[in-house]
């Protein structure tokens, strides 16, 4: 990773431009269909933690370059694995751990405090759909298509689509997509609830998503991260448990004399809000 300037970070598989408290992450391997190679799996979690931990932005937007958002897992990930001779049980335990490591690389999109918005053009295939499913909001062009491609390759999707999509779309549709590997295009994806909005082309989509991100960035960072935390918790727990968790969060984090007062004053004075940032994430005992 190298710093091009104060607002741009350059990685092998992506670049990041940070403006107005929005971090715009772009995949930069269009000639390779932005496939997810070994560098990608190392760089994505590193970058997400950097933006989150160092409070470099309040919102993350992920988009891509070229014809396709991403064709999914690069074959080099499989061919690059070390083929050591080992007893069968240990070999399979090692493979289980490898899958968990890949899962963790995408789960970081859920785990960071910031909202993550994904803008998809062209193909969003296999592992790329796993990534999109882990984001907070998804947007696409009309010609974008989503595909759980793994059954065509003789395997079961294993990095998050089958676990997250049932919370986003009707279960029967998820089953159909997983069983067949067929393509679901933008309008169908919106109708099913996978994407929030469909745009005519990539340029208008990226501009529109960045505009949404800029609006989020004007809100209290503490309130926004509270929304993300509570929505994710509610997805995985009962209503009763979620309400109790909400009460605990509000008891500890709600400070009306600070962020709420700032929101009221900004509206009264017809100015932009000026909320304090979240605290950086430091190493234990640092």
């Amino acid at each position: 990773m190298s710093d091009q300037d104060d607002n741009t970070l350059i990685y092998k598989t992506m670049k990041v431009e940070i403006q107005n408290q929005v971090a715009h992450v772009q995949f930069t391997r269009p000639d390779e269909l932005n496939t997810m190679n070994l560098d990608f799996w190392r760089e994505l979690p590193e970058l997400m933690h950097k933006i989150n931990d160092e409070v470099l932005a309040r919102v993350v937007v992920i988009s891509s370059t070229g014809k396709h958002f991403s064709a999914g897992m690069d074959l080099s990930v499989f061919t690059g694995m070390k083929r050591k001779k080992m007893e069968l049980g240990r070999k399979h335990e090692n493979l289980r751990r490898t899958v968990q490591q890949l899962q963790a690389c995408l789960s970081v999109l859920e785990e960071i405090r910031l909202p993550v918005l994904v803008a998809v053009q062209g193909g969003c295939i296999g592992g790329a759909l796993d990534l999109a499913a882990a984001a907070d909001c998804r947007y696409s062009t009309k010609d974008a298509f989503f595909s759980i491609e793994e059954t065509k390759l003789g395997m079961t999707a294993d990095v998050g689509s089958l676990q997250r999509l049932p919370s986003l779309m009707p279960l029967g549709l998820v089953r159909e997509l997983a069983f067949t590997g067929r393509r679901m295009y933008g309008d169908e994806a919106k109708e099913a609830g996978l994407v929030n909005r469909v745009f005519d082309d990539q340029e208008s989509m990226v501009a529109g998503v960045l505009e949404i991100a800029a609006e989020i960035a004007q809100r209290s960072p503490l309130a926004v991260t509270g929304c993300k935390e509570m929505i994710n918790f509610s997805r995985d727990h009962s209503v009763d448990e979620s309400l109790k968790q909400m009460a605990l969060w509000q008891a500890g984090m709600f400070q009306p004399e600070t962020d709420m007062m700032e929101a009221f004053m900004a509206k009264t004075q017809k100015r932009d809000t000026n909320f304090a940032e979240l605290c950086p994430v430091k190493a234990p005992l640092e």
Side-chain angles (χ1 to χ4, degrees):
M1 187 269 289
S2 63
D3 293 347
Q4 188 176 42
D5 55 50
D6 291 341
N7 298 315
T8 304
L9 304 174
I10 303 296
Y11 290 75
K12 292 180 180 179
T13 64
M14 60 193 77
K15 72 173 182 178
V16 191
E17 295 180 351
I18 301 174
Q19 293 184 348
N20 301 321
Q21 298 170 316
V22 175
H24 183 194
V25 180
Q26 289 181 291
F27 302 153
T28 55
R29 299 174 65 245
D31 293 341
E32 294 79 19
L33 305 182
N34 294 298
T35 50
M36 305 159 83
N37 61 9
L38 286 171
D39 287 326
F40 173 90
W41 292 101
R42 296 185 185 106
E43 291 178 348
L44 182 69
E46 175 188 332
L47 171 59
M48 291 299 112
H49 282 299
K50 181 177 179 64
I51 295 171
N52 179 76
D53 296 358
E54 298 179 18
V55 199
L56 300 182
R58 294 182 179 179
V59 190
V60 176
V61 172
I62 299 178
S63 70
S64 193
T65 56
K67 185 177 180 180
H68 296 289
F69 178 77
S70 172
M73 187 81 72
D74 193 288
L75 291 179
S76 64
V77 175
F78 299 106
T79 58
M81 291 181 182
K82 296 179 180 179
R83 304 296 183 183
K84 293 182 179 180
K85 290 184 179 180
M86 62 180 71
E87 178 266 327
L88 193 60
R90 286 164 175 77
K91 177 181 178 181
H92 290 174
E93 189 280 331
N94 183 63
L95 177 58
R96 180 181 69 94
R97 187 158 41 83
T98 298
V99 172
Q100 290 177 325
Q101 289 172 336
L102 294 174
Q103 292 170 345
C105 289
L106 301 186
S107 292
V108 68
L109 301 184
E110 286 183 338
E111 294 164 359
I112 64 172
R113 299 172 290 177
L114 315 179
V116 179
L117 284 54
V118 173
V120 175
Q121 88 285 359
C124 181
I125 299 169
L129 181 51
D130 295 319
L131 180 152
D136 294 290
C137 302
R138 288 151 294 279
Y139 306 85
S140 79
T141 57
K142 285 186 176 180
D143 63 352
F145 63 89
F146 303 84
S147 176
I148 305 174
E149 197 87 357
E150 284 81 353
T151 50
K152 294 181 180 179
L153 305 176
M155 64 176 291
T156 302
D158 58 2
V159 195
S161 289
L162 302 185
Q163 291 69 41
R164 294 187 172 98
L165 289 180
S167 297
L168 303 172
M169 302 190 301
L171 185 57
L173 179 57
V174 176
R175 293 179 189 273
E176 177 188 315
L177 294 172
F179 296 159
T180 65
R182 75 167 176 86
R183 295 178 175 183
M184 179 174 64
Y185 285 86
D187 287 337
E188 183 184 2
K190 182 179 185 301
E191 183 179 352
L194 178 62
V195 301
N196 293 17
R197 182 177 169 187
V198 175
F199 294 82
D200 289 332
D201 53 60
Q202 184 180 5
E203 183 178 358
S204 63
M205 173 183 64
V206 171
V209 175
L210 287 174
E211 185 176 338
I212 294 169
E215 185 173 359
I216 295 172
Q218 283 294 304
R219 307 295 176 247
S220 158
L222 184 60
V224 171
T225 196
C227 289
K228 177 166 182 172
E229 184 84 13
M230 292 304 104
I231 292 170
N232 285 347
F233 187 94
S234 296
R235 177 197 58 192
D236 302 326
H237 296 79
S238 70
V239 172
D240 183 61
E241 291 170 324
S242 299
L243 287 171
K244 290 176 179 176
Q245 183 70 8
M246 182 70 249
L248 286 173
W249 175 275
Q250 204 74 328
M253 309 299 174
F254 182 48
Q255 302 294 329
E257 69 276 9
T258 53
D259 284 12
M260 182 176 285
M261 182 60 66
E262 169 59 20
F264 287 152
M265 292 298 294
K267 185 175 182 179
T268 301
Q269 298 170 7
K270 298 181 180 180
R271 59 171 174 81
D272 290 338
T273 54
N274 184 26
F275 296 112
E277 301 296 347
L278 297 174
C279 295
V281 178
K282 298 182 178 180
L285 303 181
E286 183 178 327

